[in-house]
Structures are given as structure tokens and as C-alpha cells.
Amino acid sequence: MAEIWGEEQLIADGFERVYVESEWYGEPLAGLADIDGKPHYFKMYGYDHSHEVGEYQVWPASEAVAELEREQWAIYARWYERQQAGEVGQESHPAHGGVDARYDELELLLAPHRLAPDGARRLVCELRFIAGVDVRYRVEGPDYWLRWRPSPR
């Protein structure tokens, strides 16, 4: 289980904000987070369920692209809140397509930016959950931050 910390301590310990989680399987597999204070895409490289330290490909995202990612994430987070409250069902998930026109438009606009370029850096990360946050997916991002370091390989 990951440790739980306040934002002030996370910052002091070198953890950075995660804005978007686009894939999760027991740990973050892909998304958008600050790395060295700037937005970067991250995607786990060769996930193999081995429980070894995960290595990620990371590459910068422009501020404009990051803003579009956060807009799409906000659509999802608001849906998640309604779904958790029992107001809507899984069939209304915006990623199904044809449910939210703006979500679909953003999906098309963002697709080319989500592909790791040749020469993407390889890093590993450590996860810590944010203390006092009881909502898994919030408009401002998921309930954890990441600390990045060079891959030992």
C-alpha cells in the first residue's frame, strides 16, 4: 500500500501533481503529470505484471495540449462523481463514444500527442496518495502524486 501524505510534504519530498490518469492496473500505466515542474505524458514501458519497478516513457506536453487533456479529464471526473452518486450508469461513460461530443472531439485532437516519440525519456516513479482526499478521481486530478527518477537500467 502506498503511503498517504499532505500536499506540503509531497512537494517537500519531490513529488509532483498528476493531472490525468488515462490507464490504471494496480498502478498508473499512462497519463499526464508534472515532471520537473512541466506537464509530461507518461506511459508504462512494457508492463508485464512482474511487480518489478515499472519503467515509463515520458515526453513533454505543451501547455495548450495539457489544457485540453485537463478539459477532457474534467468531463470524466464529473461523470465519475455522478456515477459514484448513483445518478448515472456505466453506459454513460464518456469514453464509450457518442455520449459527450466535446469528449469525443478532444479524443481526436489529443490522439497524436499521446503517442510516445522516438527518444522519449525512460524514468521510474514512486506513488503517494494525498491525505484527506476521499474521492478517487477529482477534476484537479487523481488522488495521488508521483516522484520521478532516472531508470536504473
Side-chain angles (χ1 to χ4, degrees):
M1 177 72 183
E3 297 183 60
I4 298 174
W5 300 91
E7 285 189 17
E8 194 172 290
Q9 188 64 52
L10 290 168
I11 292 167
D13 289 346
F15 285 79
E16 296 185 86
R17 186 176 305 279
V18 177
Y19 298 102
V20 173
E21 174 192 287
S22 52
E23 291 181 62
W24 174 277
Y25 188 76
E27 62 188 312
L29 299 181
L32 182 77
D34 278 344
I35 300 176
D36 299 326
K38 301 218 183 280
H40 283 71
Y41 283 103
F42 65 90
K43 184 172 185 169
M44 186 167 282
Y45 182 80
Y47 185 70
D48 64 6
H49 308 282
S50 68
H51 300 292
E52 293 179 17
V53 174
E55 187 177 54
Y56 294 81
Q57 294 176 286
V58 302
W59 62 98
S62 71
E63 287 295 334
V65 166
E67 187 60 36
L68 294 176
E69 286 285 359
R70 289 189 293 264
E71 180 185 350
Q72 189 184 49
W73 174 261
I75 294 168
Y76 166 75
R78 288 190 292 274
W79 170 85
Y80 179 80
E81 184 178 297
R82 291 190 314 274
Q83 190 264 345
Q84 291 296 296
E87 297 170 10
V88 296
Q90 193 65 29
E91 73 284 349
S92 67
H93 192 297
H96 289 317
V99 174
D100 184 293
R102 180 60 178 160
Y103 189 97
D104 295 347
E105 178 183 14
L106 289 165
E107 193 69 20
L108 292 172
L109 290 170
L110 292 167
H113 301 283
R114 294 173 174 164
L115 300 172
D118 292 338
R121 290 192 296 165
R122 290 194 181 180
L123 301 176
V124 295
C125 70
E126 177 184 351
L127 178 148
R128 283 191 184 166
F129 288 98
I130 307 166
V133 173
D134 60 356
V135 176
R136 178 76 176 94
Y137 302 120
R138 308 165 302 143
V139 168
E140 58 270 27
D143 61 348
Y144 59 88
W145 285 24
L146 300 171
R147 177 168 59 187
W148 299 92
R149 66 179 194 278
S151 173
R153 297 178 197 199

